[in-house]
Amino acid sequence: GENVEQHPSTLSVQEGDSAVIKCTYSDSASNYFPWYKQELGKRPQLIIDIRSNVGEKKDQRIAVTLNKTAKHFSLHITETQPEDSAVYFCAASTYTDKLIFGTGTRLQVFP
Amino acid sequence: NAGVTQTPKFQVLKTGQSMTLQCAQDMNHNSMYWYRQDPGMGLRLIYYSASEGTTDKGEVPNGYNVSRLNKREFSLRLESAAPSQTSVYFCASTTFYEQYFGPGTRLTVT
């Protein structure tokens, strides 16, 4: 079955710097790769996603890139702000809508 | 439009007790899911239901049962709770890939 690895597990950056979180997946049939943000004590919420027919997608300060050959995808956050502090999860799925999640990255943005 | 709702929000059980976690969605979604979240382990799929009347095991189904009562409701039952089932449980639903999560149930088994 699918396996998703996520790195790093914790990431600390200064406000205004960029943050990058990386994930690798094992199943070459996976075709959908979302990223979820979870603030402390709250539910995960989708922030951006990408499908296998696209290499990059941007939404304001966040972007996701996908390398199908290497089976990895990354989340990029530019101009980080304290409110970006949260746990971020990557996930992957095949043609079903069943997601397999990575283990999460705790991002801390220091003012 | 309440989205995905879960009850209860918190629960403490003694080892061996049983309970049912309730989940409902009002978005007319076909698929529903139960996850558990443990520190450092991410979200692990317990069971899912692709449509009313069907259920399938996920990554960690042992010790749990589920019922898809109708299109709106998907319940998770612990027949004999164990301390290893102490976790935060999330229900989610989806129609086209994006999963919408409920607020979670924090369960402690002593």
Side-chain angles (χ1 to χ4, degrees):
Chain A
E2 176 66 281
N3 183 51
V4 177
E5 293 189 0
Q6 182 172 348
H7 299 281
S9 57
T10 61
L11 180 59
S12 296
V13 300
Q14 206 73 31
E15 182 177 359
D17 287 350
S18 295
V20 180
I21 303 169
K22 298 182 179 181
C23 288
T24 59
Y25 62 98
S26 61
D27 189 346
S28 56
S30 290
N31 66 337
Y32 175 66
F33 308 93
W35 287 88
Y36 284 79
K37 176 183 180 181
Q38 186 179 27
E39 296 175 352
L40 190 61
K42 298 198 174 173
R43 72 191 80 187
Q45 292 194 296
L46 180 73
I47 55 171
I48 194 166
D49 56 13
I50 191 167
R51 298 185 196 278
S52 59
N53 59 345
V54 176
E56 183 175 357
K57 183 177 178 181
K58 284 186 77 170
D59 183 2
Q60 298 182 349
R61 294 187 298 108
I62 61 173
V64 58
T65 58
L66 171 64
N67 183 327
K68 287 170 54 181
T69 303
K71 289 191 281 189
H72 66 69
F73 57 112
S74 301
L75 178 71
H76 305 254
I77 306 174
T78 59
E79 300 171 26
T80 53
Q81 300 167 4
E83 52 264 38
D84 294 328
S85 295
V87 178
Y88 292 81
F89 293 97
C90 64
S93 78
T94 58
Y95 290 99
T96 68
D97 46 13
K98 186 174 69 166
L99 292 176
I100 301 299
F101 285 86
T103 50
T105 296
R106 181 173 300 280
L107 174 65
Q108 291 182 296
V109 180
F110 293 99
Chain B
N1 193 344
V4 181
T5 57
Q6 291 182 237
T7 56
K9 284 188 167 52
F10 302 94
Q11 184 71 48
V12 179
L13 290 178
K14 289 186 175 11
T15 297
Q17 287 185 317
S18 62
M19 79 160 296
T20 300
L21 282 64
Q22 306 285 356
C23 174
Q25 52 93 6
D26 61 3
M27 296 175 283
N28 202 35
H29 287 168
N30 291 321
S31 300
M32 297 184 73
Y33 309 82
W34 276 105
Y35 295 92
R36 59 177 290 171
Q37 184 173 35
D38 303 292
M41 306 280 293
L43 291 149
R44 292 184 293 168
L45 183 65
I46 305 171
Y47 270 94
Y48 67 103
S49 171
S51 61
E52 186 179 349
T54 68
T55 60
D56 284 289
K57 295 178 181 179
E59 302 169 76
V60 289
N62 291 344
Y64 305 95
N65 283 302
V66 291
S67 295
R68 182 76 183 266
L69 305 167
N70 47 55
K71 192 170 186 179
R72 289 187 64 248
E73 298 170 290
F74 188 37
S75 63
L76 178 72
R77 182 158 178 86
L78 287 70
E79 290 291 351
S80 178
S84 60
Q85 294 178 306
T86 293
S87 189
V88 179
Y89 291 85
F90 286 100
C91 176
S93 71
T94 186
T95 292
F96 294 112
Y97 290 106
E98 178 177 354
Q99 292 198 8
Y100 294 83
F101 286 83
T105 294
R106 186 172 294 275
L107 175 66
T108 302
V109 183
T110 62

